[in-house]
Amino acid sequence: METKTISKNYTTLPEKAVVDKVSSSLLLRGITMHYAENKFEGLKLLKELIPPGAEVMTGGSTTLEQIGFKDYLKSAGISGEI
C-alpha cells in the first residue's frame, strides 16, 4: 500500500482524485459520503438529509458549528446532543 505525505494546510480542498478514492473506500464499508463545495452547500445538504423529528448527535464538531448547523438544530427544534 502506498503512503503519501498529507499537507497540514486545511485551507484548500483536496484534489478530486483524493475525494473519489476516499468516497470509494467508505462505500466499500457501507458508508455514503456526501461532498459540498462550501459551508453553504454543506448546511443545505444536511438540512435535506435529516428528516423531521430526527435526533442528532454532533459530537462536539467544530465544523458543524462553523457552518451554522448547531444554530439550525436549535432554531428548527431538532433534539439531540449539541
Side-chain angles (χ1 to χ4, degrees), residues 32-63:
T32 302
M33 183 185 96
H34 297 275
Y35 180 84
E37 287 285 334
N38 56 53
K39 69 180 190 176
F40 305 108
E41 286 184 18
L43 182 57
K44 181 180 178 218
L45 179 63
L46 287 172
K47 289 177 179 180
E48 293 169 357
L49 290 172
I50 299 172
E55 288 190 24
V56 177
M57 304 270 306
T58 62
S61 171
T62 300
T63 300

Side-chain angles (χ1 to χ4, degrees), residues 4-79:
K4 193 174 186 180
T5 303
I6 299 174
S7 169
K8 299 290 184 189
N9 180 0
Y10 299 110
T11 60
T12 59
L13 296 174
E15 297 174 13
K16 183 175 179 346
V18 173
V19 174
D20 290 344
K21 184 174 182 178
V22 170
S23 180
S24 296
S25 296
L26 289 171
L27 196 55
L28 289 172
R29 292 164 178 81
I31 301 169
T32 302
M33 183 185 96
H34 297 275
Y35 180 84
E37 287 285 334
N38 56 53
K39 69 180 190 176
F40 305 108
E41 286 184 18
L43 182 57
K44 181 180 178 218
L45 179 63
L46 287 172
K47 289 177 179 180
E48 293 169 357
L49 290 172
I50 299 172
E55 288 190 24
V56 177
M57 304 270 306
T58 62
S61 171
T62 300
T63 300
L64 293 178
E65 188 171 337
Q66 290 174 337
I67 69 170
F69 184 65
K70 290 183 177 185
D71 291 335
Y72 165 71
L73 290 178
K74 290 176 189 173
S75 69
I78 297 174
S79 65

